[in-house]
């Protein structure tokens, strides 16, 4: 149980830092949805759909390769040096290529009129790429507190800089038109420019703090090792690109395929804001991945790791199913996290919550091809998911706008989850209690529809919240009764149960 306890504690710490990291937009969502127009919020959504995609390209699977290869203790120095040199060279090369291609990138993002936004985004991508391996080194060394401090400190800088630019500068310059602040701030510029500058400040600060872990102790490039790592990493690059297309490209597709009768910036602004309400599950999955990836690889070297993987999956599904209820049943509260002008899109939230549940389960399942060096399987599964995303969006965005994006995400992640489970059980069997886990998911979906039916019949918000509380409590008590023996094995919970 010490292994599960360690994973849980690291997930908590990584969770705190992930909340900060993912809240680059999330913590600012109420503020940004209030101060930005729906059109500007849509433009920001397009930019922040591109950045994660290119982050995958800039890191090309080397983060996962690092965790896989660093377990060989006798090669630690060579691995650190080789992967650092590789990342430095590739970042410089990709920065030059993307800078040269900025016009094409602006066209893809439907931002031809705002080339400066693309330039600032490229700088962010390069800085973030350089911090990838230093962060991986911290995670591998089991230093979640330092990891969390750097992440949170960076995000505080981002938040303060964003509020300074969007609120203080306008007010100050209006009162003092001849001030020195005019040298760095122009009220006529797009507000997205200053959001990106704040992000650059965060990325630069983060890289500065990570400088101790950025450079190797000895400079040496092992060509044979690099080839070995690339053979492992490149399928992860394909999987990562496909995964990020599935996760973020729908905001760009709205700009490509919506009829001209729609204001596509407004539509993707509404969708982008409502997407934030799947925040709890998204953040937990991000936190879990941070702690689980190095944990899973270390477990692979021990006795019967499959049993550990199966138990981790059980606890994971229990947590995210409860989170689904907490968000989906309490939308009347959560919706105040975004400006009321975006509430028209709230129907996508339960769909996206389920989609992200599927994605989290898929991340758990993906351990089979990572530890067995069959990373091509991950690429194939993700490419199928990407095809599903593109086809559904292409066919249905012209008719259903962002609702098509939500259902495409649901179908994509659901398909990837099923494919990975079926394939993985044949190639690397893990004794998942899959019937029980499926039952848990079906139950929470049924409870959601029971709540929805009660709201349809009576429609009172306070009554709906009361029903939500009763259903959430009932599910929690049900899980406690079913998993009572399992909970007794947990160090803290077990004492309470006894």
């Amino acid at each position: 149980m010490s292994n599960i306890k360690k994973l849980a504690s690291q997930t908590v710490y990584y969770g705190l830092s992930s909340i900060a990291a993912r809240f680059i937009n999330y913590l600012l969502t109420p503020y940004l949805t209030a101060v930005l127009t729906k059109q500007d919020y849509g433009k920001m959504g397009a930019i922040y759909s591109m950045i994660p995609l290119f982050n995958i390209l800039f890191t090309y699977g080397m983060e996962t390769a690092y965790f896989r290869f660093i377990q060989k203790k006798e090669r630690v120095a060579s691995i650190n040096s080789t992967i650092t040199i590789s990342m430095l060279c590739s970042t410089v090369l990709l920065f030059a290529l993307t800078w040269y291609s900025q016009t094409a990138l602006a066209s893809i993002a439907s931002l031809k009129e705002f080339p400066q936004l693309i330039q600032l985004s490229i700088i962010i991508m390069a800085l973030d790429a350089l911090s990838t391996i230093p962060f991986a080194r911290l995670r591998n060394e089991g230093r979640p507190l330092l990891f969390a401090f750097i992440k949170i400190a960076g995000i505080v800088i981002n938040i303060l800089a964003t509020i300074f630019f969007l609120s203080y500068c306008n007010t100050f310059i209006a009162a003092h038109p001849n001030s020195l602040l005019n040298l760095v701030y122009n009220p006529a510029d797009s507000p997205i420019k200053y959001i990106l500058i704040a992000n650059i400040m965060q990325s630069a600060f983060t890289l500065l703090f990570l400088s101790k872990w950025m450079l190797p102790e000895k400079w040496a490039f092992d060509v044979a090792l690099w080839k070995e790592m690339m053979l492992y990493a490149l399928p992860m690059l394909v999987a990562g690109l496909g995964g990020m297309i599935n996760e973020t490209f729908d905001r760009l597709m709205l700009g490509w395929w919506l009829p001209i009768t729609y204001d596509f910036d407004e539509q993707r602004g509404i969708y982008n804001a409502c997407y934030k309400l799947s925040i709890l599950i998204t953040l937990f999955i991000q936190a879990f991945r941070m702690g689980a990836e190095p944990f899973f690889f270390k477990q692979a070297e021990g006795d019967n790791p499959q049993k550990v993987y199966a138990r981790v999956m059980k606890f994971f599904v229990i947590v995210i199913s409860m989170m689904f209820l907490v968000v989906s049943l309490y939308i009347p509260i959560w919706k105040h996290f975004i400006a009321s002008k975006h509430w028209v899109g709230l129907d996508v939230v339960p769909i996206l919550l389920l989609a992200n549940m599927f994605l989290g389960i898929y991340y758990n399942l993906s351990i089979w091809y990572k530890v067995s060096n069959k990373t091509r399987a991950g690429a194939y599964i993700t490419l199928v998911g990407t095809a599903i995303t593109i086809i559904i969006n292409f066919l249905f965005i012209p008719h259903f706008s962002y609702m098509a994006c939500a259902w495409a995400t649901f179908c994509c992640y659901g398909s990837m989850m099923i494919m990975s489970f079926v394939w993985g059980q044949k190639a690397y069997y893990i004794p998942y209690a899959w019937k029980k886990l499926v039952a848990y998911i079906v139950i929470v979906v049924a409870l959601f529809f029971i709540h929805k039916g009660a709201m349809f019949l009576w429609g009172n918000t306070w009554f709906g919240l009361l029903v939500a509380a009763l259903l959430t409590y009932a599910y929690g008590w049900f899980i406690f009764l079913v998993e009572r023996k399992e909970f007794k094995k947990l160090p803290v919970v077990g004492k309470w149960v006894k």
Side-chain angles (χ1 to χ4, degrees):
M1 279 313 304
S2 59
N3 289 329
I4 301 293
K5 182 181 178 182
K6 183 177 180 181
L7 174 59
S9 65
Q10 290 195 359
T11 297
V12 169
Y13 287 123
Y14 289 129
L16 293 175
S17 56
S18 295
I19 288 173
R22 294 300 294 263
F23 264 40
I24 288 175
N25 294 319
Y26 290 161
L27 283 178
L28 290 170
T29 295
Y31 172 74
L32 292 176
T33 55
V35 302
L36 298 179
T37 65
K38 285 186 280 190
Q39 288 77 9
D40 278 336
Y41 200 73
K43 291 182 179 70
M44 191 185 77
I47 289 292
Y48 280 97
S49 296
M50 284 185 55
I51 289 176
L53 181 71
F54 278 89
N55 281 344
I56 299 294
L57 188 62
F58 270 72
T59 55
Y60 51 96
M62 290 302 258
E63 182 182 33
T64 303
Y66 175 82
F67 289 123
R68 180 59 176 151
F69 283 81
I70 203 65
Q71 307 308 319
K72 301 175 181 179
K73 304 298 183 184
E74 70 280 1
R75 305 174 71 183
V76 169
S78 181
I79 290 168
N80 283 330
S81 177
T82 300
I83 202 168
T84 298
I85 294 171
S86 179
M87 289 294 296
L88 286 172
C89 294
S90 61
T91 299
V92 172
L93 176 62
L94 288 171
F95 177 85
L97 290 175
T98 50
W99 193 271
Y100 178 77
S101 307
Q102 60 184 265
T103 302
L105 297 178
S107 179
I108 291 172
S110 304
L111 294 171
K112 292 181 181 179
E113 301 86 358
F114 304 94
Q116 193 176 42
L117 301 185
I118 302 299
Q119 295 169 358
L120 294 172
S121 301
I122 294 170
I123 296 172
I124 293 171
M125 293 184 285
L127 292 174
D128 287 349
L130 293 175
S131 68
T132 299
I133 298 304
F135 269 132
R137 291 181 66 178
L138 288 182
R139 289 163 60 193
N140 185 66
E141 293 172 8
R143 306 181 71 174
L145 284 174
L146 181 59
F147 182 99
F149 169 77
I150 295 174
K151 285 281 188 179
I152 293 172
I155 199 62
V156 168
I157 289 173
N158 186 304
I159 292 171
L160 292 177
T162 299
I163 295 174
F164 171 78
F165 285 130
L166 298 190
S167 292
Y168 176 79
C169 287
N170 270 329
T171 304
F172 186 86
I173 287 178
H176 307 85
N178 297 319
S179 70
L180 293 177
L181 194 57
N182 282 285
L183 298 176
V184 295
Y185 183 86
N186 183 356
D189 286 340
S190 168
I192 311 303
K193 169 185 173 181
Y194 296 100
I195 293 173
L196 293 173
I197 290 175
N199 201 334
I200 289 175
M201 293 170 65
Q202 176 206 357
S203 299
F205 167 86
T206 299
L207 198 59
L208 180 63
F209 252 78
L210 289 170
S211 57
K212 178 180 176 181
W213 293 271
M214 182 178 173
L215 302 178
E217 296 177 1
K218 184 183 296 184
W219 291 91
F221 189 77
D222 188 328
V223 176
L225 173 62
W226 181 77
K227 289 180 179 178
E228 192 178 351
M229 295 178 75
M230 289 296 289
L231 286 174
Y232 181 90
L234 287 179
M236 299 304 299
L237 166 63
V238 176
L241 286 174
M244 200 52 64
I245 289 173
N246 297 336
E247 185 175 345
T248 65
F249 237 49
D250 45 10
R251 278 70 135 196
L252 302 179
M253 293 176 190
L254 283 170
W256 302 342
W257 297 326
L258 268 177
I260 58 174
T261 52
Y262 285 91
D263 183 334
F264 67 82
D265 273 332
E266 178 182 281
Q267 291 291 295
R268 66 185 178 186
I270 293 170
Y271 180 66
N272 193 45
C274 291
Y275 203 105
K276 306 296 183 185
L277 296 184
S278 59
I279 177 176
L280 280 180
I281 289 180
T282 304
L283 289 176
F284 175 72
I285 292 171
Q286 177 72 8
F288 178 82
R289 287 184 68 190
M290 289 289 182
E293 196 160 41
F295 171 84
F296 281 155
F297 281 119
K298 288 177 180 178
Q299 289 301 307
E301 306 296 324
D303 297 329
N304 197 12
Q306 292 90 338
K307 184 177 179 181
V308 176
Y309 300 152
R311 298 194 69 225
V312 169
M313 174 69 89
K314 180 189 289 186
F315 288 117
F316 181 86
V317 172
I318 289 172
V319 173
I320 61 171
S321 61
M322 182 61 74
M323 286 182 168
F324 171 81
L325 287 181
V326 169
V327 180
S328 64
L329 301 190
Y330 292 89
I331 286 179
I333 295 176
W334 288 101
K335 70 180 182 180
H336 294 285
F337 191 67
I338 62 177
S340 58
K341 59 191 173 188
H342 299 284
W343 291 357
V344 66
L346 288 174
D347 286 344
V348 304
V349 176
I351 304 168
L352 293 171
L353 287 171
L354 282 172
N356 280 297
M357 285 178 65
F358 296 158
L359 178 62
I361 294 170
Y362 169 74
Y363 284 143
N364 269 273
L365 294 170
S366 66
I367 190 60
W368 73 265
Y369 62 74
K370 291 179 180 178
V371 300
S372 59
N373 293 334
K374 296 179 180 177
T375 51
R376 287 187 180 181
Y380 296 145
I381 292 169
T382 307
L383 288 175
V384 173
T386 302
I388 291 172
T389 297
I390 294 172
I391 291 170
I392 292 178
N393 279 313
F394 176 75
L395 293 176
F396 296 106
I397 279 178
H399 307 287
F400 301 103
S401 186
Y402 50 75
M403 285 300 296
C405 299
W407 281 111
T409 304
F410 176 90
C411 294
C412 166
Y413 292 154
S415 300
M416 289 170 60
M417 175 184 68
I418 293 170
M419 284 187 289
S420 185
F421 174 75
V422 174
W423 195 343
Q425 291 301 87
K426 294 178 180 178
Y428 185 87
Y429 179 75
I430 298 174
Y432 295 120
W434 66 269
K435 293 181 180 178
K436 181 184 288 187
L437 301 185
V438 169
Y440 291 162
I441 296 172
V442 170
I443 289 170
V444 295
V445 173
L447 292 177
F448 167 76
F449 280 108
I450 290 172
H451 180 265
K452 197 172 182 64
M455 288 296 293
F456 176 78
L457 292 175
W458 287 280
N460 182 278
T461 301
W462 290 107
F463 173 77
L465 293 176
L466 175 62
V467 173
L470 292 173
L471 292 176
T472 304
Y473 175 80
Y475 180 71
W477 184 247
F478 167 76
I479 291 294
F480 176 77
L481 293 177
V482 174
E483 300 292 348
R484 188 182 183 95
K485 293 182 180 179
E486 190 73 65
F487 289 145
K488 282 184 178 181
K489 300 176 185 178
L490 294 173
V492 177
V493 180
K495 294 179 182 178
W496 181 81
V497 172
K498 293 176 182 177

